Amino acid sequence: MARRPGAPAAYVEEFSFVSPLVKYLLFFFNMLFWVISMVMVSIGIYARLMKHAAALACLAVDPAILLFVVGVLMFLLTFCGCIGSLRENICLLQTFSICLTIVFLLQLAAGVLGFVFSDKARGKVSELINNAIVHYRDDLDLQNLIDFGQKEFSCCGGISYKDWSQNMYFNCSEDNPSRERCSVPYSCCLHTPSQAVINTMCGQGMQALDYLEAGKVIYTNGCIDKLVNWIHSNLFLLGGVALGLAIPQLVGILLSQILVNQIKDQIKLQLYNQQHRADPWY
């Protein structure tokens, strides 16, 4: 950047391609999610430590483990973004941008594959629900999650209420000594507004009854069909949630790339100034 003799040198020295607005906007953007990630990790660790050892049998659907893993990944990713933007480090910013792009593409691919291969996705959900039914009494968090789902969707089991026979406590076999033999959880029971006290034994012996008789006391339809129907009737809501997750990622990618380009331009400017510092016309 040449200038005429007598032009103020301070302008050349103080000029910077790096915008403070972009730099600190990216920093505070990552700082916010960095704090959120630490909270997620803390909650995940606390929930895991407070669990009984038997909960280890169902790690695949353990909310505490899932929360911890997501929190750690978010912590590492936002750490690169925070330090990279604050120190104007191209390597960290590129790592942040590439990793965030990969996460975004994985989420997009998962959504597309779930839509295209909906039958296989349904089978995977069915497998997950059946696995959760098997470990219902092993994990208190999982138990509360299943009870919430059955009450919220007014359903019972995966395909039907008889799926609860897969659980060792609710199994209908004659040699099952459990007091809950051939029963279903109380969350399967029909809710009556006038009921002041929840009857936790309302599902006693329901698996031994046919659909018509059991339907007078409990929900007989499975949760998989209810879940599919809910998804079909709430596509706009799910689309809004997906958009809400995608926008921060795209903003992070955009800001990091803008800052990387500005840093590269600033480096070129500094090299140019060093090469022409001895030039009396500079």
Side-chain angles (χ1 to χ4, degrees), residues 92-280:
L92 289 177
L93 287 173
Q94 290 285 34
T95 301
F96 168 76
S97 179
I98 292 172
C99 290
L100 200 57
T101 302
I102 292 173
V103 170
F104 175 76
L105 292 177
L106 288 175
Q107 291 175 348
L108 184 62
V112 172
L113 291 175
F115 179 79
V116 174
F117 301 101
S118 57
D119 291 338
K120 291 186 177 180
R122 181 184 176 128
K124 192 65 178 177
V125 171
S126 178
E127 179 184 341
L128 187 66
I129 291 177
N130 289 332
N131 187 40
I133 288 175
V134 171
H135 296 284
Y136 176 77
R137 290 298 190 198
D138 300 340
D139 187 342
L140 184 58
D141 286 344
L142 180 63
Q143 180 176 322
N144 292 333
L145 182 63
I146 293 174
D147 287 337
F148 171 79
Q150 292 191 144
K151 288 186 289 187
E152 188 70 18
F153 292 105
S154 302
C155 59
C156 186
I159 303 299
S160 73
Y161 66 101
K162 291 184 180 293
D163 289 340
W164 280 102
S165 191
Q166 299 177 63
N167 186 281
M168 61 181 296
Y169 297 99
F170 299 105
N171 189 276
C172 285
S173 59
E174 294 293 336
D175 57 347
N176 183 9
S178 173
R179 295 173 59 186
E180 296 178 308
R181 188 180 75 85
C182 229
S183 301
V184 294
Y186 78 95
S187 55
C188 289
C189 297
L190 298 174
H191 175 70
T192 54
S194 60
Q195 188 177 12
V197 180
I198 297 176
N199 179 14
T200 57
M201 301 299 292
C202 58
Q204 192 74 25
M206 287 295 111
Q207 290 188 62
L209 303 179
D210 58 28
Y211 277 83
L212 292 177
E213 293 182 1
K216 299 176 182 178
V217 182
I218 64 172
Y219 302 109
T220 55
N221 292 327
C223 294
I224 296 177
D225 289 334
K226 290 279 188 176
L227 180 61
V228 171
N229 293 335
W230 183 88
I231 291 175
H232 287 164
S233 60
N234 292 274
L235 289 177
F236 286 107
L237 175 62
L238 295 175
V241 172
L243 188 63
L245 292 174
I247 288 178
Q249 296 174 18
L250 294 175
V251 169
I253 295 170
L254 179 63
L255 289 177
S256 61
Q257 286 302 312
I258 291 175
L259 187 56
V260 165
N261 291 331
Q262 290 179 347
I263 294 172
K264 288 180 178 179
D265 291 338
Q266 182 64 22
I267 292 174
K268 292 178 182 179
L269 177 62
Q270 291 175 348
L271 292 175
Y272 181 86
N273 290 338
Q274 291 175 2
Q275 292 172 0
H276 296 81
R277 188 163 292 169
D279 188 350

Side-chain angles (χ1 to χ4, degrees), residues 9-155:
Y11 173 79
V12 178
E13 295 297 331
E14 293 178 1
F15 176 77
S16 175
F17 283 104
V18 179
S19 169
L21 176 63
V22 175
K23 175 180 177 179
Y24 289 106
L25 185 60
L26 182 60
F27 171 75
F28 286 113
F29 173 83
N30 281 281
M31 177 62 73
L32 173 63
F33 286 96
W34 189 57
V35 173
I36 293 175
S37 69
M38 289 193 292
V39 173
M40 292 173 63
V41 171
S42 301
I43 294 175
I45 293 175
Y46 174 78
R48 193 61 192 162
L49 292 177
M50 295 301 291
K51 284 173 174 284
H52 191 271
L56 292 171
C58 198
L59 288 179
V61 291
D62 190 343
I65 293 294
L66 182 62
L67 195 65
F68 175 78
V69 171
V70 172
V72 168
L73 292 177
M74 187 186 296
F75 177 88
L76 296 174
L77 189 60
T78 53
F79 178 80
C80 290
C82 281
I83 303 302
S85 58
L86 194 62
R87 302 296 299 174
E88 298 180 10
N89 188 300
I90 293 179
C91 181
L92 289 177
L93 287 173
Q94 290 285 34
T95 301
F96 168 76
S97 179
I98 292 172
C99 290
L100 200 57
T101 302
I102 292 173
V103 170
F104 175 76
L105 292 177
L106 288 175
Q107 291 175 348
L108 184 62
V112 172
L113 291 175
F115 179 79
V116 174
F117 301 101
S118 57
D119 291 338
K120 291 186 177 180
R122 181 184 176 128
K124 192 65 178 177
V125 171
S126 178
E127 179 184 341
L128 187 66
I129 291 177
N130 289 332
N131 187 40
I133 288 175
V134 171
H135 296 284
Y136 176 77
R137 290 298 190 198
D138 300 340
D139 187 342
L140 184 58
D141 286 344
L142 180 63
Q143 180 176 322
N144 292 333
L145 182 63
I146 293 174
D147 287 337
F148 171 79
Q150 292 191 144
K151 288 186 289 187
E152 188 70 18
F153 292 105
S154 302
C155 59

